[in-house]
Amino acid sequence: MPLVTSTEMFKKAYEDHYAVGAFNVNNMEIIQGIVDAAKQEQSPLILQVSAGARKYAKHVYLMKLVEAAVADTGLPICLHLDHGEDFEICKACVDGGFTSVMIDGSKHPFEENIAITKKVVEYAHSKGVVVEAELGKLAGVEDAVKVNTKDATYTDPDQAVEFVERTGVDSLAIAIGTSHGAYKFKGKPELDFARLEKITNLLPGFPLVLHGASTVIPAFVDECNKYGGKLDGAQGVPEDMLLKAGKYGVCKINIDTDLRLAMTASVRKYLSEHPADFDPRTYLKSARQAIQDMVAHKIKNVLNSSNRL
Ligand code: G3H
Ligand code: 13P
Ligand code: ZN
């Protein structure tokens, strides 16, 4: 089974009102933990690689590890570039075997975002690769709760329609109140579901993407803190909100922070409880299991994507 694009995954997810998890990968243990959970749950999945991950592990290592995961599990895996910032990195990933790329032009003015996205779409489509773009700005923690900044930063529904029509992009990341990292909300978590519903209604059948969608599960934050971490005030998107988003045309939910927290909590705990152990295989084995358990939890409770292969 070769790597696949997300086209069929999104079609099924849209029709049956669930979402596909897109998990960030940086090394072998993370990849193994994720794919073992997907296999156990018979769930579709996307493995995504950021520019930082490519720099850390090198493109060729990640590519070969993901190919190994396909050979080992037989799963239909989509390999995606996360937050490509220019045409060059998108082209490098298309040429280097990825089946999906994100061109993130969200920091540019509307017309520039359209132009750069269109250029990537033309190239990627000519090679059978699909493209995700982003419109609107993901909230920083300061903006997240300020109602009057919503219209300036959140995705404008009419612009979303124009953007999709003019670029020919395959999926679109939208801003409705989520943000990256472990500190998403200062007060009560809130997403703009009215805006999401409007966008979904204006773009029927079109797959939307939610970035910054980790829940920052308190038990893992507490575990990190218990063993020497310092993550005070961390807060993420509640699971019921993510499940709801999956019913409103959101076909791809991005998760990185929750994997980092699970892995780090596990390593901190293991080393603290086994101070004489310095074999990387022991604490990385426990970290890999923590990733697997976290991904299985997401598939069952957030994505609703078990038994969808
Ligand atoms: O959205 C960003 C992802 O969490 C990847 O983060 O750029 O530190 O690899 P990174
Ligand atoms: P989190 O930081 O909420 O995990 O979001 C990850 C993400 O959006 C990767 O693109
Ligand atoms: Zn993101």
Side-chain angles (χ1 to χ4, degrees):
M1 161 85 62
L3 292 170
V4 299
T5 70
S6 50
T7 307
E8 286 307 310
M9 290 183 192
F10 288 166
K11 220 165 145 191
K12 284 178 72 178
Y14 194 96
E15 278 164 14
D16 293 336
H17 306 289
Y18 63 92
V20 179
F23 301 98
N24 286 75
V25 299
N26 297 284
N27 67 12
M28 183 186 77
E29 284 76 12
I30 296 175
I31 292 172
Q32 288 177 334
I34 296 168
V35 298
D36 286 350
K39 175 139 183 150
Q40 169 197 318
E41 288 303 317
Q42 289 293 293
S43 168
L45 89 154
I46 295 168
L47 296 179
Q48 58 187 12
V49 169
S50 68
R54 268 178 103 239
K55 197 167 168 201
Y56 170 76
K58 287 193 185 171
H59 184 103
V60 66
Y61 283 85
L62 292 170
M63 191 70 217
K64 299 290 176 195
L65 284 168
V66 173
E67 281 170 3
V70 172
D72 185 39
T73 62
L75 287 171
I77 296 175
C78 170
L79 179 57
H80 174 75
L81 168 67
D82 191 26
H83 293 285
E85 73 161 359
D86 53 32
F87 176 78
E88 284 65 37
I89 189 170
C90 292
K91 181 177 184 300
C93 288
V94 170
D95 295 346
F98 283 34
T99 48
S100 175
V101 292
M102 175 188 191
I103 172 68
D104 181 357
S106 61
K107 65 172 187 237
H108 299 299
F110 186 63
E111 288 298 332
E112 262 177 61
N113 191 355
I114 286 190
I116 186 176
T117 301
K118 229 173 137 179
K119 187 172 172 192
V120 172
V121 167
E122 272 162 24
Y123 186 74
H125 282 185
S126 76
K127 308 277 179 186
V129 170
V130 293
V131 181
E132 172 187 329
E134 179 164 327
L135 184 65
K137 289 187 183 64
L138 255 61
V141 76
E142 272 84 34
D143 319 321
V145 287
K146 280 189 204 151
V147 178
N148 57 357
T149 61
K150 274 189 186 178
D151 280 332
T153 56
Y154 288 9
T155 308
D156 177 89
D158 295 320
Q159 275 197 342
V161 176
E162 186 182 341
F163 188 90
V164 168
E165 280 172 357
R166 287 177 59 193
T167 58
V169 76
D170 301 283
S171 62
L172 184 68
I174 54 163
I176 57 164
T178 61
S179 62
H180 292 107
Y183 302 90
K184 300 189 193 297
F185 303 100
K186 264 186 185 159
K188 197 168 152 263
E190 203 193 317
L191 297 187
D192 192 343
F193 280 102
R195 188 177 297 263
L196 172 59
E197 202 177 346
K198 227 176 189 173
I199 298 170
T200 306
N201 288 338
L202 288 171
L203 289 167
F206 186 82
L208 301 174
V209 178
L210 220 50
H211 281 246
S214 279
T215 295
V216 190
I217 299 171
F220 291 86
V221 176
D222 292 348
E223 192 90 322
C224 277
N225 288 343
K226 185 173 163 192
Y227 294 102
K230 206 169 179 320
L231 288 156
D232 303 323
Q235 203 190 165
V237 186
E239 292 184 344
D240 58 333
M241 289 191 187
L242 295 166
L243 264 176
K244 189 171 160 186
K247 296 193 167 72
Y248 278 98
V250 169
C251 294
K252 174 173 179 272
I253 288 188
N254 283 12
I255 298 163
D256 186 8
T257 296
D258 278 334
L259 301 186
R260 295 181 182 197
L261 281 171
M263 191 164 195
T264 303
S266 156
V267 172
R268 280 190 181 282
K269 181 170 191 279
Y270 188 92
L271 290 176
S272 162
E273 289 175 349
H274 303 84
D277 187 350
F278 58 94
D279 182 343
R281 290 171 298 187
T282 54
Y283 57 84
L284 289 177
K285 186 175 175 189
S286 114
R288 180 172 60 190
Q289 187 62 50
I291 293 274
Q292 184 175 340
D293 294 346
M294 175 62 78
V295 172
H297 173 85
K298 294 283 177 188
I299 288 171
K300 286 188 268 198
N301 301 294
V302 172
L303 304 160
N304 191 20
S305 66
S306 297
N307 301 312
R308 307 282 192 177
L309 288 181

Short mmCIF file of all heavy atoms in Angstrom, two decimals, residues 82-83 134 138 180 211-212 254, ligand 3:
data_model
loop_
_atom_site.label_atom_id
_atom_site.label_comp_id
_atom_site.label_asym_id
_atom_site.label_seq_id
_atom_site.Cartn_x
_atom_site.Cartn_y
_atom_site.Cartn_z
N ASP A 82 2.93 20.40 7.27
CA ASP A 82 2.16 21.30 8.14
C ASP A 82 2.75 22.71 8.06
O ASP A 82 3.96 22.89 8.23
CB ASP A 82 2.26 20.74 9.57
CG ASP A 82 1.31 21.39 10.55
OD1 ASP A 82 0.25 21.89 10.11
OD2 ASP A 82 1.61 21.39 11.76
N HIS A 83 1.90 23.70 7.80
CA HIS A 83 2.32 25.11 7.79
C HIS A 83 3.50 25.41 6.86
O HIS A 83 4.50 26.04 7.30
CB HIS A 83 2.67 25.60 9.20
CG HIS A 83 1.50 25.65 10.12
ND1 HIS A 83 0.53 26.63 10.04
CD2 HIS A 83 1.11 24.84 11.14
CE1 HIS A 83 -0.39 26.41 10.96
NE2 HIS A 83 -0.07 25.32 11.63
N GLU A 134 -4.84 28.24 4.45
CA GLU A 134 -5.42 28.80 5.67
C GLU A 134 -5.89 30.23 5.41
O GLU A 134 -5.19 31.03 4.78
CB GLU A 134 -4.39 28.78 6.81
CG GLU A 134 -4.92 29.39 8.11
CD GLU A 134 -4.07 29.02 9.33
OE1 GLU A 134 -3.50 27.91 9.37
OE2 GLU A 134 -3.98 29.86 10.25
N LEU A 138 -5.21 32.42 13.43
CA LEU A 138 -5.47 31.72 14.68
C LEU A 138 -5.20 32.66 15.84
O LEU A 138 -4.24 33.42 15.80
CB LEU A 138 -4.57 30.47 14.78
CG LEU A 138 -5.33 29.16 14.53
CD1 LEU A 138 -5.92 29.14 13.13
CD2 LEU A 138 -4.45 27.96 14.73
N HIS A 180 -2.57 27.66 18.67
CA HIS A 180 -1.54 26.64 18.87
C HIS A 180 -1.01 26.65 20.31
O HIS A 180 -1.06 27.68 20.98
CB HIS A 180 -0.37 26.87 17.90
CG HIS A 180 -0.73 26.62 16.47
ND1 HIS A 180 -0.89 27.63 15.56
CD2 HIS A 180 -0.98 25.47 15.81
CE1 HIS A 180 -1.19 27.10 14.38
NE2 HIS A 180 -1.27 25.79 14.50
N HIS A 211 -6.92 23.83 13.17
CA HIS A 211 -5.58 23.81 13.78
C HIS A 211 -5.73 24.15 15.26
O HIS A 211 -6.78 24.61 15.70
CB HIS A 211 -4.68 24.85 13.11
CG HIS A 211 -4.14 24.40 11.80
ND1 HIS A 211 -2.81 24.16 11.59
CD2 HIS A 211 -4.78 24.12 10.64
CE1 HIS A 211 -2.63 23.76 10.34
NE2 HIS A 211 -3.81 23.73 9.74
N GLY A 212 -4.65 23.97 16.00
CA GLY A 212 -4.66 24.38 17.40
C GLY A 212 -5.75 23.67 18.19
O GLY A 212 -6.43 24.27 19.02
N ASN A 254 -6.08 18.95 13.91
CA ASN A 254 -4.63 18.90 14.12
C ASN A 254 -4.27 18.78 15.60
O ASN A 254 -4.75 19.57 16.42
CB ASN A 254 -3.99 20.19 13.60
CG ASN A 254 -3.88 20.22 12.10
OD1 ASN A 254 -4.47 19.40 11.40
ND2 ASN A 254 -3.12 21.17 11.59
ZN ZN B 3 -1.32 24.41 12.98
#
